[in-house]
Every structure is written in C-alpha cells, then in structure tokens.
Amino acid sequence: MVCLGNICRSPLAHGILQSKLPENFKVDSAGTAAYHIGNNPDYRSIEVAKSNGIDISMQKARQFAAADFKLFDYIYAMDESNYRNIVALAETSDDIAKVKLFLEENPMVKNKNVPDPYYGDVKDFTTVFDLIDSTASILSKKLIRTHEK
Ligand code: 4NP
C-alpha cells in the first residue's frame, strides 16, 4: 500500500486490509517521498482507525524502494501520482505488472485516486477511511479466493 508520505492513506490501507486477511497474508505500506521516514501515522489516521477498531499506532513510515518489487506480489498506489513514482523505480516489466491503483479494485468508485487528506479535516479522514474500507473488503475476498485453496 503506497501513498506519498506513508502517514495518512497507506497506513490506513495497510491496517484495514490486514484486518480483513488471515495472518499468512503480509500487508505492508510505504511512501514514495522521504519526508516522514520513521514517523508514526498522522494522529487523525490513528484516530479514525481506532474508532473503527483498528490499531495502526505502531506503524512507522518508510520510503518505497526498488527492492519492494521483489518482496511483494502486489503493489497498490493510492493515486496516479504515486503510481507514476512507483513505476519510475521499476527495473523490469514484471515489476511494472505488479503495480495497480488501489481503487481499480472497486468498481463502485469512479475517481480512482484516494484523495490526499493531509491538509484536510477529520471529515476528510473519515471519507478516506470509508473509501479504503469498502475497497479492502472487495480486495481481501479476491485475494483469499486467489490464494487460499
Ligand atoms: P499521505 O499524505 O501521502 O496520505 O501520507 C501526506 C502526508 C504528508 C504530506 C503530503 C501527503 N506532506 O506533504 O508532508
């Protein structure tokens, strides 16, 4: 799960998707930018997750790296700008094939960018939570169908 700072959107996607999957599915998150490396998620993401029963407070921001293409089977970008930044680090066509927009998994959603809530208010974080939660429900079912036989 990859956004820009790895403190608002992708920590939510990481915590929410992991909560819907068995433990043998390893979900992680990163940011394409280096601004917040080592920081915990934004307090507003921590709060909206907590009020929905998910603890993301222990997460620490890290920067997406080319090595991640080899470590993960699927790489989900929170918006098109992050998508481009991820693909720019790809070394092979197999790397590129792993990258998708997260909201591509949700046919109900027209705009495929998870809005950046960093300069917004609590309501924006709630909107982001709901968007990620509904999409993670669809994606988790698909992953379980694909991988658990
Ligand atoms: P995120 O949000 O990409 O969802 O973690 C942002 C966090 C920090 C900044 C921008 C977006 N920033 O400019 O520092």
Side-chain angles (χ1 to χ4, degrees):
M1 300 294 142
V2 185
C3 63
L4 179 63
N6 192 207
I7 57 167
C8 297
R9 292 165 292 179
S10 59
L12 282 171
H14 172 179
I16 293 168
L17 183 64
Q18 188 72 75
S19 77
K20 296 177 191 288
L21 287 169
E23 274 183 11
N24 56 317
F25 288 84
K26 301 295 179 199
V27 184
D28 196 10
S29 64
T32 54
Y35 322 130
H36 298 282
I37 291 173
N39 293 357
N40 293 113
D42 186 286
Y43 69 97
R44 297 163 295 181
S45 284
I46 292 176
E47 279 304 310
V48 72
K50 190 177 166 194
S51 65
N52 287 278
I54 296 168
D55 182 12
I56 62 166
S57 65
M58 79 305 281
Q59 290 186 30
K60 291 257 191 285
R62 70 177 184 88
Q63 189 171 22
F64 183 84
D68 286 313
F69 288 111
K70 308 299 181 261
L71 295 173
F72 295 94
D73 298 317
Y74 305 96
I75 296 165
Y76 283 103
M78 293 296 119
D79 65 31
E80 288 165 314
S81 165
N82 304 141
Y83 178 90
R84 285 191 295 272
N85 289 333
I86 296 163
V87 166
L89 295 172
E91 286 159 355
T92 67
S93 55
D94 285 352
D95 291 349
I96 295 173
K98 291 183 175 184
V99 192
K100 255 179 123 171
L101 283 172
F102 180 66
L103 293 182
E104 295 285 357
E105 299 295 346
N106 191 341
M108 307 293 285
V109 174
K110 269 220 186 79
N111 180 346
K112 298 302 179 186
N113 297 297
V114 179
D116 180 354
Y118 187 60
Y119 294 105
D121 58 24
V122 172
K123 194 170 138 283
D124 299 300
F125 280 78
T126 304
T127 301
V128 165
F129 184 95
D130 292 343
L131 198 51
I132 291 174
D133 188 56
S134 56
T135 306
S137 290
I138 299 169
L139 177 56
S140 62
K141 290 191 189 97
K142 178 175 160 182
L143 289 171
I144 290 167
R145 245 188 352 257
T146 307
H147 296 283
E148 297 241 301
K149 283 275 149 61

